[in-house]
Amino acid sequence: MKNRYEVGELVETRVVAVGNDTVFIDLGLKSEGIVDRADFLDADGKLTVKEGDAVKVYYVGSNGDELKFTAKIKGQEAGKDVLESAYKNGIPVEGHVTQEIKGGYEVMIGSVRAFCPYSQMGYRQRKESAAYVGSHLSFKIQEYKNEGRNIVLSNRAVEEEAANARLEKLAGELKVGMTVKGTVKSIESYGAFVDIEGFQALLPVSELSRVRVNDIHDVLSVGQTIEAKIIKTDWAHERVSLSTKALEADPWDGVDKKFPAGTKIEGQIVRIADFGLFVNLAPGVDGLVHISKLPVERNTNLKKVYSTGTTLSVIVDKVNMEEKRISLSPVVSNEEEENAEDYLSRQNDDDGETYNPFAALLKKK
């Protein structure tokens, strides 16, 4: 790299070290360039760069052999030449919002007065207009006229650029199939929004658990830390979908051995459809009693005969592991079963003829 720079000149380089107060950058010289660590802190005070990261900085001057750079122009550096260079090169400037005026805010960049329209203050999560007064914020110079007497600023441009940089960084880190930790920020009827490194991903209700969830609030609460699997990303629309269900063991593993055909079991009716009853046999495992197997007329409204939450004795007819379906039949009462067994045991009488209950009655006479 060269050893002479003009004030305001843009330099693209890499971080070679991070100190307590200073970030050192590679200049290809015997010594490194220096940047205030504060230039790389986000709104939450977190450092946004590490050793080896590519950065864009601007030359602001030297102090002996030290070459000083900045990621944004500060008030004490804001001479006319520096501000004009900041305008031409898109260098962020730091300003103090002093008051609300017609159409926006008065902002002081050092001793230079500038204007920021309401529409250019904040990005996405905006505050009440008066809340910005007194703040020290970063701006991009959108207009620079009359030798600096008319300067128009945009805080939104800086915030949007930073948000896009964070999004690009996350898109490179968060991939489908990864397991991540996050904090539940809000809960809606359709799912929960989970904060992952400042980005809010959606955990749909359908992806909460393999076990039926009647109320999302029974499973999650705001502020709760959870682990989830990333199942879908759409960075173009800033959407990431999560699943906690994907981290659970599949309750259908071994179901065909646990509930082979002929198994009698008591289950709870969990859903009533026009075509039959869904009966829960184990956590995450439901079977279907088709209406044709129930002691009702085919067009009967099953909700008038049965209720969810009630217990029903059933027998397993068939288990389809591929489609994860279990066909059930209701278990008949003991009296019905005894009558059926008695009838079957008398299908053939002693002379080998088919049993006829009416003929048997005549024989008794």
Side-chain angles (χ1 to χ4, degrees):
M1 288 189 179
K2 63 183 182 180
N3 56 11
R4 294 182 67 86
Y5 298 92
E6 294 183 7
V7 172
E9 183 177 345
L10 170 66
V11 177
E12 297 187 32
T13 182
R14 291 189 175 276
V15 175
V16 293
V18 178
N20 292 332
D21 302 309
T22 305
V23 172
F24 297 91
I25 57 172
D26 180 26
L27 298 178
L29 304 173
K30 292 181 180 179
S31 59
E32 295 87 15
I34 61 173
V35 186
D36 285 346
R37 180 188 173 103
D39 284 12
F40 296 110
L41 299 180
D42 63 16
D44 297 322
K46 295 181 181 178
L47 190 66
T48 58
V49 296
K50 61 182 183 301
E51 185 178 331
D53 281 357
V55 292
K56 292 181 180 180
V57 292
Y58 309 90
Y59 180 63
V60 292
S62 63
N63 183 11
D65 292 334
E66 287 186 343
L67 299 181
K68 297 187 67 177
F69 294 80
T70 185
K72 56 186 175 182
I73 302 299
K74 303 174 186 66
Q76 63 269 27
E77 302 159 348
K80 284 187 177 181
D81 291 342
V82 171
L83 290 180
E84 187 172 8
S85 177
Y87 167 63
K88 291 177 179 178
N89 294 293
I91 306 172
V93 298
E94 192 173 85
H96 177 226
V97 184
T98 55
Q99 62 178 325
E100 274 192 87
I101 57 179
K102 184 178 180 180
Y105 303 88
E106 178 187 76
V107 180
M108 297 301 295
I109 309 169
S111 60
V112 179
R113 183 177 286 102
F115 171 71
C116 179
Y118 282 125
S119 63
Q120 295 302 310
M121 184 66 83
Y123 177 62
R124 292 188 177 173
Q125 295 181 346
R126 295 188 178 186
K127 306 174 185 177
E128 293 292 329
S129 61
Y132 289 102
V133 176
S135 300
H136 288 271
L137 301 171
S138 294
F139 300 86
K140 284 283 186 77
I141 301 176
Q142 303 292 84
E143 293 183 19
Y144 184 89
K145 296 180 179 178
N146 300 324
E147 297 183 341
R149 287 189 291 273
N150 293 329
I151 299 177
V152 178
L153 306 174
S154 172
N155 168 254
R156 175 175 178 159
V158 174
E159 295 292 324
E160 189 171 0
E161 189 176 287
N164 290 337
R166 286 194 298 270
L167 195 67
E168 186 177 345
K169 181 173 181 287
L170 285 173
E173 296 174 349
L174 302 180
K175 303 294 184 181
V176 171
M178 287 180 59
T179 298
V180 293
K181 281 187 176 181
T183 304
V184 177
K185 301 298 289 185
S186 64
I187 298 175
E188 307 294 340
S189 59
Y190 51 85
F193 286 96
V194 180
D195 184 272
I196 304 171
E197 298 182 37
F199 181 86
Q200 292 202 15
L202 176 64
L203 172 58
V205 170
S206 60
E207 292 297 330
L208 275 174
S209 176
R210 295 182 185 274
V211 179
R212 187 181 301 277
V213 176
N214 295 318
D215 186 346
I216 188 172
H217 293 90
D218 293 339
V219 181
L220 297 176
S221 57
V222 174
Q224 180 179 348
T225 300
I226 64 168
E227 278 194 352
K229 187 174 183 178
I230 299 174
I231 58 173
K232 186 178 180 181
T233 59
D234 180 359
W235 294 107
H237 296 92
E238 300 184 27
R239 294 173 184 168
V240 172
S241 297
L242 305 175
S243 173
T244 48
K245 178 173 74 174
L247 299 180
E248 298 176 350
D250 190 343
W252 280 82
D253 289 344
V255 161
D256 54 342
K257 296 179 177 61
K258 188 176 181 180
F259 302 116
T263 301
K264 293 179 183 177
I265 186 173
E266 284 193 343
Q268 191 178 75
I269 298 173
V270 290
R271 186 159 68 91
I272 301 173
D274 293 339
F275 51 84
L277 309 175
F278 286 92
V279 179
N280 180 247
L281 307 181
V285 179
D286 295 345
L288 173 66
V289 182
H290 194 269
I291 190 171
S292 62
K293 297 178 181 179
L294 294 169
V296 296
E297 296 292 331
R298 194 169 187 82
N299 293 325
T300 299
N301 184 344
L302 295 180
K303 292 181 180 179
K304 292 184 178 181
V305 182
Y306 299 93
S307 301
T308 56
T310 58
T311 299
L312 185 68
S313 295
V314 294
I315 187 167
V316 177
D317 293 332
K318 183 181 179 182
V319 178
N320 186 330
M321 291 295 290
E322 186 175 341
E323 297 183 6
K324 294 186 177 181
R325 293 180 180 177
I326 299 178
S327 299
L328 305 172
S329 294
V331 174
V332 296
S333 66
N334 289 337
E335 183 179 355
E336 290 174 319
E337 196 168 347
E338 288 171 2
N339 289 341
E341 290 176 355
D342 181 53
Y343 173 79
L344 291 173
S345 68
R346 290 183 289 158
Q347 282 294 308
N348 294 297
D349 57 14
D350 294 338
D351 58 9
E353 295 179 0
T354 300
Y355 176 73
N356 185 318
F358 297 104
L361 183 61
L362 291 173
K363 283 182 180 180
K364 288 181 181 180
K365 292 182 178 181

